[in-house]
Amino acid sequence: MSNYSYSRLSTYNQCPRKHSYMYEEKIYTDGNEYLILGDLFHQCIDRACKGEDLTPVFNDYEAKVMVGQLSTESGLLEEVFKEYLAYYDMSSEEVIESEKRIEEEWEDGDIFSGVVDRLINKDGLIILRDTKTTLKPLKYTPNQVKYNAQLLTYCDMVQTNLHIKVDAYEIDEVRLAKLQPVPLNQNGKPSADKNKLGLVRYEDYYNKLAEMGLDTAPEYQAVLDYLEKRGHPLFKRTQCQLLDSNMLDSNFKDLYDSYKGCKTGNKQRVRGPLCDYCPYTELCNLDFYNPTEEDREIIINKIKKSS
Ligand code: SF4
């Protein structure tokens, strides 16, 4: 009997060898900064949904910054989360489930499980919401959401196990960064350089122009249009309606094929561009030469330490 998840099968699809290091040898590298930040932000939303105090999560974040486990700025989590609450009206939606773990029994007693971030009822529409945090600019396109295998898997699990029909699914992207004030040129006027406006809100830019009597100046209209279309620099929700149940069926078939492959114990290397970002590269290269257990242990400890 084994435990499976979407991430596990996705890792197997990327590279069976990487899957073997991570899930069979259990050489964990998941203490990294991105995962910690994502987990803290998820805790904030979950607590806010339940009306609980957020202070313990903010304190946990500050403690991790203080000991150097996180390299981000002090106060960042609280600032971004407060902006999130101000931007999205949580009172306009009913939370059906938050951080809901769903388990299914597959073959030979194997368990496939997943955690659904949020299941929302908004104006009678049931939406499955997956929150993804990043330190980089927001990136999801409608097609990346529409064909997102993880979201389709969770929609299927909700419908099968909770017996709730999902109408739509969405990625709720959050950029963990501090908003910036409007940058000014040497002449004291707002910069119109889009490269400098990545963390500037439309409202702040417009208000600054209005304050200077420049809000109708022709040279700023294209920038205003750009900022308005771009939306909030830290938040973006991309939603797709779940219209075609065949998509769920074919997604499940792909997932099940990966599961069957995974069960064979295949440990083949898949060399490619992803190797450059793989935390096991050194071990993978070493294993090519049939190393001793002692040599492997040295590299494994190094991997664990660096995470
Ligand atoms: S370095 Fe490349 S081939 Fe080796 S485990 Fe990582 S992804 Fe797979």
Side-chain angles (χ1 to χ4, degrees):
M1 181 204 132
S2 247
N3 291 313
Y4 291 85
S5 63
Y6 175 81
S7 334
R8 178 170 178 176
L9 296 181
S10 159
T11 304
Y12 176 79
N13 285 340
Q14 267 175 28
C15 173
R17 176 65 65 127
K18 183 176 176 185
H19 165 268
S20 166
Y21 291 143
M22 199 182 273
Y23 293 96
E24 285 164 3
E25 287 200 60
K26 301 193 191 305
I27 306 170
Y28 293 122
T29 61
D30 58 357
N32 77 47
E33 181 157 80
Y34 298 104
L35 291 173
I36 296 171
L37 287 168
D39 179 51
L40 288 168
F41 202 85
H42 275 77
Q43 285 186 46
C44 287
I45 304 179
D46 188 42
R47 280 178 174 258
C49 286
K50 293 170 179 160
E52 293 173 3
D53 183 14
L54 295 160
T55 316
V57 190
F58 295 145
N59 288 346
D60 189 16
Y61 170 83
E62 293 303 326
K64 287 183 163 72
V65 171
M66 194 103 79
V67 298
Q69 203 177 349
L70 292 173
S71 65
T72 42
E73 286 175 77
S74 167
L76 176 72
L77 182 70
E78 188 166 353
E79 190 176 309
V80 174
F81 193 68
K82 284 189 173 160
E83 180 72 18
Y84 182 86
L85 286 182
Y87 188 65
Y88 292 119
D89 178 13
M90 286 176 92
S91 66
S92 69
E93 47 191 37
E94 177 204 348
V95 179
I96 303 168
E97 295 289 358
S98 176
E99 300 292 327
K100 173 76 177 171
R101 180 172 200 84
I102 302 177
E103 290 189 349
E104 293 180 350
E105 195 174 321
W106 285 12
E107 290 174 15
D108 309 321
D110 290 341
I111 300 293
F112 182 86
S113 64
V115 176
V116 172
D117 290 352
R118 236 79 39 206
L119 197 61
I120 305 288
N121 180 346
K122 192 172 171 97
D123 304 325
L125 204 69
I126 305 298
I127 304 163
L128 184 137
R129 179 177 297 154
D130 193 51
T131 301
K132 298 212 182 285
T133 53
T134 177
L135 294 171
K136 297 182 183 151
L138 307 174
K139 62 168 191 187
Y140 279 90
T141 64
N143 266 347
Q144 283 172 327
V145 176
K146 184 174 180 184
Y147 300 108
N148 188 289
Q150 185 178 21
L151 281 182
L152 291 171
T153 301
Y154 290 173
C155 285
D156 201 4
M157 291 176 88
V158 164
Q159 298 201 147
T160 308
N161 299 282
L162 305 184
H163 309 292
I164 298 173
K165 189 181 171 309
V166 176
D167 298 306
Y169 51 99
E170 66 184 21
I171 285 188
D172 174 39
E173 264 187 291
V174 176
R175 182 175 180 183
L176 293 166
K178 290 205 174 189
L179 290 170
Q180 287 176 354
V182 178
L184 301 178
N185 288 329
Q186 281 184 342
N187 61 11
K189 290 183 177 177
S191 170
D193 181 350
K194 289 176 191 167
N195 296 322
K196 295 182 180 168
L197 302 176
L199 289 167
V200 176
R201 293 189 312 180
Y202 168 85
E203 296 77 11
D204 295 335
Y205 195 80
Y206 181 85
N207 290 340
K208 180 56 101 182
L209 289 179
E211 194 185 300
M212 295 179 157
L214 293 168
D215 48 313
T216 53
E219 66 269 33
Y220 287 108
Q221 297 317 299
V223 187
L224 282 171
D225 284 350
Y226 161 76
L227 291 177
E228 195 171 21
K229 270 194 203 122
R230 183 208 61 189
H232 198 289
L234 305 184
F235 313 126
K236 183 180 170 194
R237 282 182 182 164
T238 310
Q239 191 181 98
C240 285
Q241 281 188 277
L242 183 58
L243 298 171
D244 184 1
S245 63
N246 289 332
M247 273 175 70
L248 294 188
D249 294 343
S250 69
N251 181 67
F252 182 75
K253 190 182 169 309
D254 289 347
L255 197 72
Y256 214 76
D257 287 346
S258 306
Y259 164 69
K260 295 295 264 183
C262 205
K263 271 174 85 69
T264 63
N266 172 21
K267 294 184 179 134
Q268 202 182 341
R269 290 180 175 86
V270 177
R271 297 267 189 212
L274 286 178
C275 294
D276 290 344
Y277 308 97
C278 176
Y280 305 105
T281 311
E282 209 175 340
L283 184 62
C284 183
N285 291 337
L286 182 78
D287 278 343
F288 202 72
Y289 300 101
N290 291 323
T292 62
E293 274 312 308
E294 288 74 24
D295 285 346
R296 289 193 91 240
E297 207 50 43
I298 292 168
I299 301 296
I300 289 170
N301 285 335
K302 204 167 140 191
I303 293 170
K304 285 180 178 167
K305 224 171 172 182
S306 66
S307 70

